Amino acid sequence: QLRFVESGGGSVQPGGTLTLACEASGFRVKLFAVEWFRQAPRKPLEEVACINKTDDATSYSDSVKGRFTISRDNAKNTVYLQMSSLKRDDTALYRCQAKPWCGYDGGAYIGQGTQVTVSK
């Protein structure tokens, strides 16, 4: 089955850090741009970060810029999201998807996600 498998979520206090992983299952992640997005109750879906396939250029939403870092390890077939200075508003289900390029409308191989909860 072609999909991402996300991991690394959990509960953390405000100001804390977490690193999420998004491992490609059944395909080679280096062939795609990969985007992390998040879904929280009563909030619209938010595209958080994206990394291109050719030059590893990255882009971030304004809400996480300077706090989150996306990276990829093609040898491990995995994309990471390092999150620091976490805020309550970062609480969400984090998922990743493959795109032909960052900015493309739509995606594929979406995983089940990993829950991040930021609270005292």
Side-chain angles (χ1 to χ4, degrees), residues 32-78:
F32 299 93
V34 178
E35 176 185 86
W36 281 95
F37 65 98
R38 63 188 182 185
Q39 297 172 291
R42 298 176 298 280
K43 291 185 178 180
L45 186 150
E46 182 181 10
E47 298 173 336
V48 173
C50 190
I51 185 166
N52 266 326
K53 64 181 178 181
T54 51
D55 57 5
D56 283 354
T58 57
S59 57
Y60 300 90
S61 65
D62 287 343
S63 63
V64 307
K65 197 172 295 182
R67 300 188 297 121
F68 290 12
T69 301
I70 188 171
S71 62
R72 65 195 304 152
D73 186 336
N74 291 334
K76 294 184 178 180
N77 219 26
T78 300

Side-chain angles (χ1 to χ4, degrees), residues 3 6 49 56 65 93:
R3 66 184 179 96
E6 297 93 341
D56 283 354
K65 197 172 295 182
L93 180 68

Side-chain angles (χ1 to χ4, degrees), residues 4 8 28 33 45 49 52 65 74-75 81 83 89 93 97 107 116:
F4 282 110
R28 299 167 72 182
L45 186 150
N52 266 326
K65 197 172 295 182
N74 291 334
L81 186 68
M83 307 186 295
D89 285 349
L93 180 68
Q97 61 182 343
V116 172

Side-chain angles (χ1 to χ4, degrees), residues 13 59 110:
Q13 293 186 344
S59 57
I110 300 171

